Amino acid sequence: MKITANKFVAVTYDLNVGEGEERELMERATSEVPLKFVFGTGAMLPAFEDALKGLEVGDKFNFSIAPADAYGEYVEEHVLDLPKNIFEVDGKFDSEMIKEGNTVPMMDSNGNRMNGSVLEVKEDVVVMDFNHPLAGETLHFSGEVIDVHEPTAEEIAALTAPAGGCGCGCDDCRSGCGDHDHEGGCGCGGCH
């Protein structure tokens, strides 16, 4: 069976970023924890799905997605100095959560949810980066199709059920990928 619209798909892959010999492994979906999704439902990056369309179980793939077709270019204007007082809980700065390297769920003035990475905590501001963690990166995927079939009602429910918080839904909340469980996952880069 070929990968076409509304088919359940499971793939293994390595996602690397960088160029030439300078590539870095960002994410791995294994046969024990593959990326599972229903093809054509908007859960994955369109360029990711385009590269898989028509493949069958056992087919291997190796393709790259340019930043414009993935998470866009890195935009310096998305790095902001935010007043430290907005990170207070009960009048006290939340130093456990707001520290360099942490990713923090936030909301803009229009109620849109987004994740920001803490770059630096200064005396009276917190420097936050609201670019997607993979912005500006060319995504290099190599892997194999391990399952293609008509989805069951249970599979559809499992893949569309909201995860605890944003979880691994790149396209839902623009969170980082890391080594999350790939159920409903990335195509990130969705582990989102």
Side-chain angles (χ1 to χ4, degrees):
M1 180 176 288
K2 292 183 183 295
I3 296 176
T4 57
N6 301 315
K7 297 290 188 265
F8 176 94
V9 177
V11 297
T12 62
Y13 66 82
D14 284 352
L15 165 60
N16 288 276
V17 298
E19 299 304 324
E21 299 300 314
E22 300 298 315
R23 291 191 183 178
E24 175 186 1
L25 179 66
M26 294 298 294
E27 182 177 286
R28 175 171 281 154
T30 64
S31 56
E32 294 79 24
V33 185
L35 170 64
K36 301 175 186 177
F37 63 100
V38 176
F39 189 86
T41 60
M44 301 295 115
L45 292 169
F48 182 82
E49 287 196 346
D50 287 347
L52 297 180
K53 187 173 186 172
L55 297 182
E56 300 178 272
V57 172
D59 286 348
K60 294 186 179 351
F61 55 85
N62 190 344
F63 60 87
S64 296
I65 302 175
D69 294 322
Y71 296 103
E73 295 298 337
Y74 188 88
V75 179
E76 286 297 332
E77 290 78 25
H78 292 172
V79 177
L80 304 174
D81 289 350
L82 300 178
K84 209 170 178 179
N85 68 344
I86 69 171
F87 299 98
E88 291 179 358
V89 177
D90 297 327
K92 185 174 186 299
F93 181 73
D94 185 359
S95 59
E96 288 295 311
M97 177 66 101
I98 311 303
K99 58 185 174 186
E100 188 175 321
N102 272 7
T103 298
V104 181
M106 299 189 73
M107 191 176 295
D108 69 13
S109 58
N110 297 321
N112 298 310
R113 294 179 184 275
M114 66 188 80
N115 283 346
S117 298
V118 179
L119 297 181
E120 186 177 357
V121 177
K122 296 183 177 181
E123 189 172 327
D124 50 359
V125 298
V126 176
V127 182
M128 299 286 295
D129 184 351
F130 291 99
N131 284 289
H132 186 279
L134 294 174
E137 298 285 0
T138 298
L139 309 179
H140 305 281
F141 290 94
S142 60
E144 182 177 353
V145 178
I146 61 171
D147 192 10
V148 180
H149 64 264
E150 294 293 337
T152 65
E154 293 80 16
E155 287 169 334
I156 292 170
L159 294 177
T160 58
C166 272
C168 196
C170 281
D171 294 322
D172 297 332
C173 64
R174 302 288 182 216
S175 67
C177 293
D179 293 316
H180 299 311
D181 181 310
H182 296 280
E183 289 286 333
C186 283
C188 289
C191 211
H192 348 235

